[in-house]
Amino acid sequence: GYIEVAGQLGTLSGFGVNLGGYIHNFNIEGYGTFGLSKAGVYINYTDGNMPNEEKLSASLFGGKFGYGIILNNRFRLTPQVGAGVIVAKGEVVKAAAVTASVALRCECVIINHLGVSLTPEYSFAISKKPVFENLSAVSPKINRWATGFNARIGLYYYF
């Protein structure tokens, strides 16, 4: 098993935690990523007390599975497929989309029980809730949160 602290760069930059493990080289992993960027959208509220601009931030939660290919006693490559839910949330607005992803987890052991990983991945929306669909139409940034390339770089402890 492993627990990992990771930073993510790409269409949804942020930081998060991965929990996973290998059983006979089969990999299963759960993750949570909290986005650092915000997207502003203007909303026409009927109540004059509400703000016109809503600042949304994103969070992504999901899981992946794959098969680890051991290269030697320090390196392993793991092709992965997965699914997740991205939540765009502001003060008033909350929207979600379901995503699918393909990734390649590249691991390198540094010292006993400690390693680094690099995971390039491509995610794409497979189902958008109506509010997320509408927000994606007016904000390319929100649309890219659900569909695009990301690279996760992490430091993991394995046991």
Side-chain angles (χ1 to χ4, degrees), residues 100-159:
S101 63
V102 292
L104 178 63
R105 180 177 171 86
C106 308
E107 300 176 46
C108 176
V109 173
I110 301 172
I111 59 173
N112 199 18
H113 297 287
L114 192 65
V116 294
S117 74
L118 171 66
T119 307
E121 75 175 3
Y122 181 75
S123 298
F124 50 96
I126 56 175
S127 174
K128 295 180 182 179
K129 298 288 184 184
V131 174
F132 197 95
E133 183 76 45
N134 292 337
L135 290 171
S136 295
V138 298
S139 174
K141 186 174 195 175
I142 293 172
N143 190 48
R144 286 191 306 268
W145 285 347
T147 301
F149 285 100
N150 292 299
R152 186 182 302 257
I153 302 164
L155 179 65
Y156 66 92
Y157 174 79
Y158 64 93
F159 46 92

Side-chain angles (χ1 to χ4, degrees), residues 43-135:
I43 299 172
N44 190 8
Y45 292 107
T46 56
D47 182 359
N49 296 326
M50 301 301 286
N52 285 335
E53 184 180 19
E54 180 81 71
K55 293 283 188 182
L56 300 170
S57 59
S59 299
L60 176 64
F61 304 96
K64 299 178 196 167
F65 67 93
Y67 186 81
I69 303 164
I70 298 170
L71 301 177
N72 61 30
N73 62 349
R74 291 206 176 269
F75 297 97
R76 176 175 19 210
L77 297 176
T78 307
Q80 298 174 313
V81 295
V85 174
I86 185 161
V87 178
K89 186 176 178 185
E91 188 177 317
V92 177
V93 176
K94 185 175 181 183
V98 176
T99 64
S101 63
V102 292
L104 178 63
R105 180 177 171 86
C106 308
E107 300 176 46
C108 176
V109 173
I110 301 172
I111 59 173
N112 199 18
H113 297 287
L114 192 65
V116 294
S117 74
L118 171 66
T119 307
E121 75 175 3
Y122 181 75
S123 298
F124 50 96
I126 56 175
S127 174
K128 295 180 182 179
K129 298 288 184 184
V131 174
F132 197 95
E133 183 76 45
N134 292 337
L135 290 171

